[in-house]
Amino acid sequence: MGGTNARRAEIAANLERVRERVDAACAAAGRAPEEVRVIAVTKNHPASDVRILAELGLRDVGENRDQEAAGKAAECGDLDLTWHFVGQLQTNKARSVARYADMVHSVDRGRLVAELARRARNEGRELGCLVQVNLDPDSERGLIGPRGGVDPADVPALADAVAAEEGLSLGGVMAVAPRGSDPEPAFDRLYSVAADLRARYPRATVISAGMSGDLEAAIRRGATHLRIGTALLGDRVAIVG
Ligand SMILES: *Cc1c(COP(=O)(O)O)cnc(C)c1O
């Protein structure tokens, strides 16, 4: 149990530091900290860490692989948690994800929308969906490989597809800032995409942006949900099973 206590102290200290960063960034941006929700991305960390986070009051959990997420959601079934699926999602995993996820941040194609909707209805659940926006200009120009998300121009059509489905609710947008460049222009662009979407769907208020390294920039640019992994849990170590 000594190990657990040490881990708990480590995560508690990390959480305090993250809260301080969020508070400072919100103060600088003239925003209320309550407007910004911290999601703990627990990929490659064990369910025991999820439990510690819940005890510390952090109940939004993010995962990027279905198999790992499904296992942890089952192990933590006694806790009242909100599960966010943040990774690229294969259509054949939609059935599993629809069982435990509350919000899917990585909706990027019509076929996935249809399949998530069908599976959510089968489970009698409602899945929040965010349209993932590709903010990397290099990928738009075809200079890099598999893109995460849809081009900004294609967001309205995909959002309409989500909004039309019973079993899904359109929550807003999500993006990952392009690697190795200033995240601010990218988050700026995301903000304008989100504003356009919200003009048509007033309840689509979520802007999921900001990770351990760029949460301040994301908060400055209107993020409502941060996806924080390493700053809370440390470096990822592969877990068995
Ligand atoms: C892993 C991951 C995060 C968390 O990244 P950190 O830099 O560890 O905070 C956020 N979003 C997505 C989509 C991820 O896969």
Side-chain angles (χ1 to χ4, degrees):
M1 288 317 281
T4 305
N5 283 336
R7 183 63 173 150
R8 192 190 155 92
E10 182 185 357
I11 292 175
N14 289 346
L15 178 57
E16 195 173 311
R17 237 171 284 133
V18 167
R19 294 272 186 226
E20 283 167 7
R21 286 176 64 190
V22 170
D23 287 354
C26 283
R31 302 183 60 197
E34 299 75 45
E35 293 173 30
V36 179
R37 189 182 287 229
V38 173
I39 299 166
V41 179
T42 53
K43 64 186 183 204
N44 290 114
H45 293 283
S48 54
D49 282 356
V50 176
R51 207 163 272 281
I52 289 169
L53 285 160
E55 286 164 11
L56 295 168
L58 210 170
R59 296 177 170 277
D60 283 278
V61 184
E63 287 282 338
N64 74 337
R65 287 194 310 133
D66 168 60
Q67 204 182 345
E68 187 179 335
K72 272 183 238 178
E75 277 184 74
C76 297
D78 59 314
L79 304 172
D80 185 23
L81 301 176
T82 300
W83 291 88
H84 300 260
F85 193 87
V86 304
Q88 220 172 27
L89 181 53
Q90 290 171 265
T91 309
N92 65 3
K93 306 286 190 199
R95 180 181 178 202
S96 173
V97 168
R99 291 197 178 121
Y100 60 82
D102 297 288
M103 189 173 273
V104 177
H105 290 228
S106 43
V107 172
D108 62 358
R109 60 201 189 277
R111 214 165 97 68
L112 180 61
V113 170
E115 190 61 9
L116 281 172
R118 186 164 79 90
R119 298 302 185 177
R121 288 194 296 266
N122 282 350
E123 297 292 326
R125 302 189 71 231
E126 184 167 276
L127 271 185
C129 289
L130 306 183
V131 174
Q132 184 174 352
V133 186
N134 173 32
L135 298 174
D136 194 334
D138 285 345
S139 122
E140 265 172 63
R141 283 184 266 121
L143 297 178
I144 62 168
R147 52 180 63 192
V150 299
D151 289 344
D154 297 328
V155 169
L158 196 58
D160 289 346
V162 171
E165 290 282 5
E166 206 177 307
L168 303 182
S169 69
L170 179 66
V173 295
M174 176 274 216
V176 179
R179 253 178 222 269
S181 58
D182 179 5
E184 298 241 7
F187 289 148
D188 245 350
R189 189 144 194 227
L190 182 65
Y191 185 83
S192 70
V193 170
D196 289 347
L197 185 65
R198 207 168 146 186
R200 298 174 55 231
Y201 296 102
R203 284 187 300 171
T205 55
V206 174
I207 301 178
S208 169
M211 317 197 327
S212 294
D214 58 18
L215 70 87
E216 285 84 2
I219 287 173
R220 266 198 299 282
R221 295 298 187 243
T224 63
H225 288 58
L226 309 172
R227 307 178 310 270
I228 309 295
T230 44
L232 285 172
L233 296 160
D235 289 330
R236 292 181 272 277
V237 282
I239 59 167
V240 180

